[in-house]
């Protein structure tokens, strides 16, 4: 559903099945935004963020959590653009893209 919403809103999407794949794809493609679930295995969303932040070439990439526990973790993981609870709507995704664009313009 998320991929469809992003594509409908004009985004090119590269998807990953694991946290390790997220990191590898971020190193291989110009990435404007990473969306992820907190509840991933074997690497969870927090561990992905730690790896992104520890890499000088990746730490600038904005990220957002889309998860059934998004609101529960929003005070535990600083730096995320957004925490969106599932199920998501196209309006949620449009708002996330707006936040991402506004942040890019600020820098």
């Amino acid at each position: 559903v998320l991929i469809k919403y992003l594509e409908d809103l004009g985004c090119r999407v590269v998807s990953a099945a694991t946290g390790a794949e997220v990191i590898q794809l971020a190193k291989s493609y110009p990435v404007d935004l990473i969306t992820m679930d907190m509840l991933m295995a074997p690497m969870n969303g927090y561990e992905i963020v730690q790896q992104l932040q520890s890499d000088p070439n990746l730490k600038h990439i904005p990220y957002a959590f889309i998860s059934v526990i998004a609101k529960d973790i929003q005070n535990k993981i600083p730096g995320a653009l957004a925490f969106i609870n599932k199920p998501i709507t196209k309006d949620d995704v449009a708002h996330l893209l707006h936040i991402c664009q506004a942040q890019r313009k600020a820098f």
Side-chain angles (χ1 to χ4, degrees):
V1 171
L2 177 59
I3 291 171
K4 176 162 179 19
Y5 289 161
L6 287 166
E7 289 176 342
D8 287 351
L9 292 165
C11 298
R12 261 189 339 207
V13 178
V14 177
S15 63
T18 66
E21 193 176 353
V22 168
I23 302 301
Q24 184 57 44
L25 289 171
K27 290 178 180 180
S28 302
Y29 292 92
V31 176
D32 294 320
L33 173 66
I34 294 174
T35 60
M36 67 187 109
D37 197 326
M38 183 61 169
L39 304 174
M40 297 171 39
M43 186 187 310
N44 67 36
Y46 181 72
E47 293 165 328
I48 294 168
V49 168
Q50 287 181 314
Q51 286 200 20
L52 290 169
Q53 295 301 307
S54 69
D55 187 319
N57 295 316
L58 303 179
K59 69 181 184 178
H60 71 282
I61 302 172
Y63 56 91
F65 287 98
I66 299 173
S67 179
V68 295
I69 64 167
K71 299 298 179 190
D72 298 334
I73 62 170
Q74 67 185 13
N75 294 323
K76 297 176 180 148
I77 303 177
L81 282 184
F83 295 86
I84 303 170
N85 270 358
K86 289 180 180 177
I88 61 169
T89 67
K90 194 171 186 177
D91 287 341
D92 292 331
V93 177
H95 183 69
L96 173 59
L97 294 177
H98 176 75
I99 293 169
C100 186
Q101 288 174 339
Q103 181 192 28
R104 291 183 71 181
K105 288 180 184 177
F107 292 101

